[in-house]
């Protein structure tokens, strides 16, 4: 078997140790040898990087562009964006880096190094060393899981090395077993106290573990972890709470969000090295209106005009937010003037609430799901509008409504791709497929089940030809 140097992104590897002032004593790999708890914490602290390039946001069902916008995306963002938008089989070229693969493999080096060495750190108690190791195991498992969600069968990268390794592809089911075993074991030894929202502690770890189970459709198991997460957060995380959007609305009916990660009280664990409340995942290019949010989906999900989350979207012609004035004839895109919430690849408080609400509804606990969603909605809708609509009565209706709350929290932010995969065969959500169509001029492209799994990119195949799936 030909061997692979799994870290194709040599230039990106040096960034995995970037850190804040607390960890300035941690030198880049190759210049210092980690030996203390602070060193190993620094290795983990600097791993949370946004994707170098990514195609999956353009595969979301709510995004669309016209022909002119498509041409601009092709010329300025690259062919990977337009190929993903059309759900083509070959998204990345041989000269393009793949964020869905490379970003995670880069992080895995630091995780594996910490896992292998931190128990022998020169300082700290055994409990402290074990907590750091467990955090690294949680992060490694999450990264491997995310890679598998994109590519299906992948190698399980569980060693820290920049030399060649024999790493065969493992079946997606094997990868899932590895991830669940790792998280189940590691979560028990996490620190109970939160130190920073870019560090995993027990409350966020339980929520993250539950999210993995949720994405796999194992709702009863996920609900157990969410319950445990709520207990831990209530006991040890008094600063984790919802942000009430209404007081943040300015005279133009825009929402001015906090701009630093420390001010975001809703973040349980952030998988980004930049402030979570930065800008939409589509970045500055979104300001040039390449991609919009389908108006019919804004209308579908935001039927209550008292919902402050309508300020997430701005008219491309008037620049006014949909919360200010919504018109069906207008085209809307991310409202960058409101400092749009960026996609959080890990987990936040509203996601915990909406996922648990869906789990409870699927178990028939309609009242429990309604209570969670009402608590969320109190911080999003104008007073008097937070109650669940009277038409939501059955467990199935509440399940769909909980999903819709997730969409109201993330529509247009690049996250719906994971729900599209999760719900592909769910009988309650087959009507969603009518929106899995992307137009380019008069031509339309429709998502197929085959395209729910991305092909391993050419930059990886070049090192490991046997990874290519025929």
């Amino acid at each position: 078997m030909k061997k692979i140097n799994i870290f194709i992104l040599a230039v990106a590897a040096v960034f995995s140790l970037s850190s804040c002032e607390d960890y300035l004593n941690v030198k880049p790999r190759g210049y210092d040898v980690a030996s203390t708890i602070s060193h190993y914490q620094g290795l983990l602290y600097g791993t949370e990087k946004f994707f170098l390039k990514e195609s999956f946001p353009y595969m979301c069902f709510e995004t669309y562009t016209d022909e002119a916008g498509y041409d601009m995306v092709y010329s300025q963002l690259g062919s990977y964006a337009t190929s993903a938008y059309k759900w083509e089989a070959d998204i990345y070229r041989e000269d393009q880096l793949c964020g869905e693969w490379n970003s995670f493999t880069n992080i895995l080096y630091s995780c594996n190094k910490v896992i292998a060495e931190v128990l022998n750190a020169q300082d700290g108690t055994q409990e402290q060393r074990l907590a750091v190791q467990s955090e690294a195991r949680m992060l490694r498992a999450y990264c491997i899981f995310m890679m598998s969600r994109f590519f299906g069968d992948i190698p399980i990268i569980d060693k820290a090395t920049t030399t060649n390794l024999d790493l065969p592809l493992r079946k997606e089911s094997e990868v899932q077993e590895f991830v669940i075993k790792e998280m189940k074991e590691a979560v028990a030894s996490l620190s109970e106290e939160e130190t920073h929202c870019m560090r995993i502690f027990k409350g966020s770890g339980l929520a993250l573990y539950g999210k993995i189970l949720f994405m796999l459709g194992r709702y009863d198991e996920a609900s157990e972890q969410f319950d445990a997460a709520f207990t831990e957060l209530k006991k040890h995380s008094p600063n984790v709470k919802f942000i009430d959007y209404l007081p943040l609305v300015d005279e133009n009916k825009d929402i001015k969000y906090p701009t630093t990660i420390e001010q975001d009280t809703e973040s349980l664990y952030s998988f980004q090295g930049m402030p979570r409340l930065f800008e939409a995942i589509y970045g500055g290019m979104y300001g040039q209106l390449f991609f919009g949010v389908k108006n019919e989906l804004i209308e579908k999900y935001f039927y209550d005009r008292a919902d402050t989350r309508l300020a997430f979207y701005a008219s491309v012609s008037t620049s006014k937010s949909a919360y200010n004035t919504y018109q069906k004839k207008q085209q809307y895109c991310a409202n960058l003037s409101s400092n749009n919430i960026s996609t959080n690849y890990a987990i936040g408080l509203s996601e915990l609430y909406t996922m648990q609400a869906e789990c409870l509804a699927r178990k028939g606990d309609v009242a429990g799901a309604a209570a969670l969603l009402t608590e969320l909605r109190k911080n999003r809708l104008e007073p008097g509008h937070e109650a669940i609509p009277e038409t939501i009565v059955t467990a199935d209706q509440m399940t769909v409504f909980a999903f819709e709350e997730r969409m109201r929290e993330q529509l247009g932010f690049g996250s719906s791709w994971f729900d599209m995969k999760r719900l592909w065969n769910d009988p309650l959500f087959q009507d969603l497929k009518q929106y899995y169509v992307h137009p380019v001029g008069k031509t339309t492209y429709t998502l197929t089940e085959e395209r729910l799994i991305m092909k391993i990119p050419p930059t990886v195949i070049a090192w490991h030809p046997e990874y290519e799936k025929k």
Side-chain angles (χ1 to χ4, degrees):
M1 176 185 291
K2 186 175 180 179
K3 296 182 178 180
I4 175 174
N5 183 339
I6 201 69
F7 293 97
I8 298 159
L9 270 186
V11 294
V14 296
F15 291 112
S16 69
L17 297 182
S18 64
S19 60
C20 295
E21 292 181 2
D22 291 344
Y23 299 102
L24 288 176
N25 61 324
V26 181
K27 298 179 181 179
R29 186 160 57 245
Y31 290 87
D32 200 1
V33 176
S35 59
T36 68
I37 287 287
S38 292
H39 284 154
Y40 290 111
Q41 287 176 327
L43 282 168
L44 292 181
Y45 192 89
T47 56
E48 297 83 357
K49 291 295 176 186
F50 55 91
F51 289 5
L52 297 174
K53 286 185 188 250
E54 63 287 319
S55 60
F56 78 92
Y58 309 104
M59 297 189 282
C60 292
F61 72 98
E62 72 268 24
T63 61
Y64 79 100
T65 186
D66 58 20
E67 196 160 10
Y70 177 90
D71 292 338
M72 293 180 75
V73 170
Y74 186 90
S75 63
Q76 297 197 36
L77 280 185
S79 61
Y80 70 92
T82 54
S83 296
Y85 180 73
K86 294 191 294 185
W87 294 301
E88 293 183 345
D90 298 304
I91 294 177
Y92 290 99
R93 301 193 309 251
E94 292 183 0
D95 62 336
Q96 291 175 326
L97 303 177
C98 173
E100 290 88 353
W101 184 281
N102 295 67
S103 298
F104 292 119
T105 55
N106 183 44
I107 292 169
L108 288 173
Y109 179 94
S110 296
C111 292
N112 286 321
K113 183 174 179 64
V114 173
I115 292 167
E117 299 177 9
V118 69
L119 294 184
N120 297 318
Q122 294 176 356
D123 62 349
T125 66
Q126 186 65 7
E127 182 181 16
Q128 291 171 328
R129 294 191 288 265
L130 182 59
V132 175
Q133 185 192 57
S134 296
E135 183 180 352
R137 291 179 69 186
M138 292 292 293
L139 181 55
R140 178 178 69 179
Y142 185 69
C143 289
I144 289 174
F145 178 79
M146 288 290 281
M147 286 179 64
S148 183
R149 293 306 282 173
F150 289 125
F151 301 102
D153 300 346
I154 61 167
I156 294 178
I157 305 169
D158 57 0
K159 293 179 177 61
T161 180
T162 55
T163 60
N164 289 334
L165 284 175
D166 285 326
L167 289 169
L169 292 181
R170 306 284 284 274
K171 290 186 178 298
E172 188 173 5
S173 57
E174 290 183 71
V175 175
Q176 292 171 3
E177 289 177 9
F178 171 83
V179 167
I180 290 172
K181 181 176 182 294
E182 280 287 287
M183 286 196 161
K184 183 177 181 180
E185 292 177 1
V187 75
S189 300
L190 291 172
S191 171
E192 293 181 342
E193 302 298 328
E194 178 185 13
T195 57
H196 195 282
C197 57
M198 283 166 56
R199 296 289 305 279
I200 303 176
F201 62 105
K202 184 163 289 188
S204 59
L206 287 163
L208 204 59
Y209 181 25
K211 180 178 180 177
I212 297 302
L213 294 166
F214 180 85
M215 292 171 74
L216 293 174
R218 297 168 63 163
Y219 300 111
D220 288 347
E221 296 171 78
S223 184
E224 292 178 6
Q225 303 307 316
F226 294 147
D227 269 341
F230 277 120
T231 299
E232 284 293 322
L233 292 171
K234 183 177 180 181
K235 187 186 305 182
H236 297 288
S237 304
N239 294 325
V240 173
K241 57 186 176 182
F242 281 119
I243 299 172
D244 186 356
Y245 283 5
L246 199 60
L248 303 178
V249 178
D250 65 16
E251 65 276 6
N252 298 316
K253 296 197 78 173
D254 282 331
I255 294 179
K256 300 301 181 184
Y257 300 104
T259 55
T260 65
I261 202 165
E262 289 80 6
Q263 291 176 293
D264 180 11
T265 60
E266 294 189 11
S267 182
L268 298 180
Y269 175 58
S270 179
F271 196 65
Q272 300 207 82
M274 302 183 71
R276 178 172 175 267
L277 299 180
F278 183 58
E279 61 181 9
I281 192 170
Y282 307 102
M285 292 297 181
Y286 215 161
Q288 299 181 46
L289 312 179
F290 294 162
F291 281 84
V293 179
K294 289 179 182 176
N295 193 294
E296 61 185 307
L297 290 170
I298 296 178
E299 183 72 21
K300 171 183 173 65
Y301 292 121
F302 290 93
Y303 50 83
D304 193 329
R305 299 294 174 249
D307 195 328
T308 60
R309 291 169 293 191
L310 278 166
F312 289 165
Y313 314 100
S315 166
V316 301
S317 59
T318 68
S319 297
K320 292 183 178 180
S321 77
Y323 183 50
N324 182 304
T325 173
Y326 174 80
Q327 299 180 31
K328 292 183 180 180
K329 64 181 180 180
Q330 293 289 345
Q331 177 183 342
Y332 289 89
C333 69
N335 184 3
L336 292 183
S337 65
S338 294
N339 289 329
N340 256 341
I341 296 177
S342 65
T343 294
N344 186 347
Y345 300 112
I347 190 167
L349 194 59
S350 67
E351 192 172 22
L352 175 59
Y353 270 69
T354 55
M355 287 191 299
Q356 177 67 320
E358 184 178 325
C359 289
L360 293 177
R362 287 179 181 275
K363 293 193 295 185
D365 185 359
V366 175
L372 285 176
L373 296 178
T374 300
E375 185 174 350
L376 165 64
R377 289 164 61 85
K378 285 179 180 178
N379 298 279
R380 302 298 196 249
L381 279 76
E382 296 174 6
H385 293 260
E386 67 274 8
I388 306 300
E390 294 180 356
T391 55
I392 308 300
V393 178
T394 68
D396 284 352
Q397 290 172 333
M398 185 59 77
T399 298
V400 174
F401 187 76
F403 166 80
E404 291 177 346
E405 279 297 327
R406 279 173 59 77
M407 290 299 102
R408 284 185 275 273
E409 288 288 311
Q410 67 182 33
L411 196 67
F413 297 153
S415 298
S416 65
W417 175 246
F418 302 105
D419 284 304
M420 292 164 67
K421 293 168 64 71
R422 175 175 68 93
L423 300 172
W424 184 265
N425 292 316
D426 192 312
L428 291 178
F429 294 93
Q430 292 306 296
D431 65 311
L432 278 180
K433 291 180 180 177
Q434 66 182 296
Y435 304 112
Y436 295 0
V437 177
H438 283 169
V440 177
K442 295 182 179 180
T443 305
T444 58
Y445 301 88
T446 302
L447 176 65
T448 63
E449 186 171 12
E450 182 183 17
R451 295 278 67 82
L452 293 175
I453 299 294
M454 294 171 61
K455 292 179 66 174
I456 294 176
T459 49
V460 175
I461 299 298
W463 288 94
H464 209 310
E466 53 268 45
Y467 279 14
E468 188 166 14
K469 300 170 185 177
K470 306 301 183 182

